[in-house]
Amino acid sequence: MTTKTYLTHLRELEAESIYVLREVAAQFDRPAILFSGGKDSIVLTHLAYKAFYPARIPFPLVHIDTGHNFPETIEYRDALVERLGAKLIVGSVQESIDTGRVREETGYNASRNRLQTVTLLDTIEKHKFDAAIGGARRDEEKARAKERFFSHRNEFGQWDPRNQRPELWNLYNGHKNVGEHFRVFPISNWTEMDVWQYIFLEQIPMPNIYFTHERNVFLRDGQWFAAEECMKLKPGETVERKQVRCRTIGDISCTGLTLSQASSLEEIIDEIAATRVTERGGRADDKRSETAMEDRKIAGYF
């Protein structure tokens, strides 16, 4: 792809996403951005900043905090909110556990990732959000490939992949009944490479966890994981010091790390261009079953 074509492609994606964000502002009363601290939600927030500049972003940022997040993610989140003057709303999985809304998993493969669904739906209900804007992309996973830009959720927060509304000529139908809401995905048509090239083009600051760094890790089922307090090692698993980086960021318990020497945006782009492993290939939560992501989405996961 020539430099001129690549720039045109990215600006076309940017324009499409900004158009969708402005449609959300026009059609919904109480939208919010789902902010995980990962690269896609960071790009989404940057696009929202550009869409409404010089005004502030008209949506609060909603972070569902599992309590098992990478510290670098929380530090970045707080610095970004301060820099943009944005409103931050935090939904706590720990609070959901403490109040009996969910039961914490136990064992070596325990994760709080699945528990986020209840916390997310409770947060949406508490603040009466009628649109939750997320950074999911269709190229990530087969269940997400089925999504529309405006993805309807029923009064229980559930998604029906077999009954979605047509979206022709960039016309988006935000009609809903009382209690229902929408998930909106403005960067649906972007790829992982598009995201990193756009980050490079716009020089968007990123959490240092995306770049190679030295970390205590352990190997499980062919995948490296961070050796943090929330991770319970199996007999025979040992902690090693490795040069790693995150390719996608989620709960520590389900986020695989990549052995890497990529210390700059240019090197990350080169690494992605050469890899034959999918972006979510290191996500343990996607490996619980063949339909793990779709099952979580149907239940209300973002």
Side-chain angles (χ1 to χ4, degrees):
M1 184 182 292
T2 66
T3 301
K4 184 176 180 180
T5 303
Y6 134 77
L7 287 173
T8 301
H9 171 67
L10 291 179
R11 291 308 181 197
E12 286 176 349
L13 289 173
E14 177 189 65
E16 178 183 60
S17 299
I18 286 176
Y19 173 78
V20 173
L21 285 163
R22 289 172 176 167
E23 278 292 298
V24 172
Q27 293 196 42
F28 297 99
D29 297 320
R30 294 182 64 84
I33 291 176
L34 299 179
F35 186 83
S36 67
K39 66 183 183 309
D40 300 313
S41 64
I42 291 170
V43 166
L44 181 61
T45 303
H46 180 79
L47 289 164
Y49 171 78
K50 294 190 75 171
F52 301 101
Y53 184 83
R56 292 184 179 181
I57 299 173
F59 321 124
L61 305 186
V62 174
H63 180 218
I64 303 303
D65 183 359
T66 67
H68 292 167
N69 297 289
F70 289 98
E72 296 95 329
T73 302
I74 301 301
E75 292 170 8
Y76 181 93
R77 178 201 71 185
D78 293 343
L80 178 68
V81 167
E82 183 176 358
R83 176 166 60 86
L84 296 180
K87 180 181 180 181
L88 174 66
I89 294 172
V90 178
S92 169
V93 172
Q94 184 63 56
E95 183 178 323
S96 297
I97 294 170
D98 294 342
T99 57
R101 291 286 293 146
V102 295
R103 179 180 297 178
E104 183 149 31
E105 295 180 358
T106 59
Y108 295 114
N109 296 309
S111 172
R112 289 186 172 184
N113 192 60
R114 184 179 61 83
L115 309 185
Q116 292 182 86
T117 298
V118 171
T119 308
L120 172 59
L121 293 175
D122 286 349
T123 303
I124 289 172
E125 173 62 26
K126 177 181 178 180
H127 295 277
K128 305 300 179 187
F129 295 130
D130 55 359
I133 311 165
R137 309 185 323 268
R138 291 186 179 123
D139 77 315
E140 288 182 83
E141 203 273 342
K142 57 188 177 184
R144 286 184 167 168
K146 300 177 182 180
E147 288 276 21
R148 301 289 194 263
F149 279 96
F150 277 29
S151 183
H152 176 262
R153 297 295 194 270
N154 66 19
E155 60 183 318
F156 302 107
Q158 297 174 325
W159 173 60
D160 182 358
R162 295 177 180 81
N163 185 27
Q164 298 190 82
R165 300 174 180 180
E167 291 181 340
L168 306 174
W169 306 294
N170 292 330
L171 297 176
Y172 304 117
N173 182 356
H175 175 74
K176 63 189 182 307
N177 296 316
V178 175
E180 299 174 345
H181 73 276
F182 277 77
R183 306 291 170 85
V184 181
F185 304 108
I187 63 170
S188 288
N189 287 336
W190 297 49
T191 65
E192 180 188 15
M193 181 63 81
D194 293 330
V195 168
W196 281 111
Q197 288 180 333
Y198 185 74
I199 289 168
F200 177 74
L201 177 65
E202 294 284 297
Q203 288 298 293
I204 302 172
M206 298 299 291
N208 56 19
I209 198 171
Y210 273 116
F211 304 93
T212 188
H213 59 286
E214 200 170 77
R215 198 177 204 99
N216 288 334
V217 297
F218 66 94
L219 189 64
R220 176 176 292 173
D221 299 329
Q223 180 64 59
W224 294 100
F225 289 94
E228 300 289 344
E229 185 178 351
C230 63
M231 300 295 285
K232 184 178 180 181
L233 269 63
K234 297 178 181 179
E237 291 178 338
T238 58
V239 176
E240 303 178 50
R241 196 77 175 167
K242 294 285 186 180
Q243 290 286 334
V244 296
R245 75 177 190 88
C246 281
R247 194 170 163 193
T248 176
I249 296 177
D251 185 283
I252 288 174
S253 64
C254 64
T255 301
L257 302 173
T258 300
L259 298 179
S260 174
Q261 295 297 319
S263 58
S264 67
L265 292 175
E266 295 94 329
E267 289 174 346
I268 288 175
I269 290 170
D270 288 343
E271 183 179 270
I272 292 170
T275 189
R276 292 298 176 264
V277 179
T278 63
E279 178 182 2
R280 293 185 68 92
R283 288 296 292 264
D285 48 333
D286 289 353
K287 299 177 181 179
R288 291 194 167 193
S289 75
E290 285 294 320
T291 59
M293 172 64 83
E294 183 159 331
D295 292 342
R296 294 200 306 275
K297 287 177 69 63
I298 288 172
Y301 185 77
F302 100 98

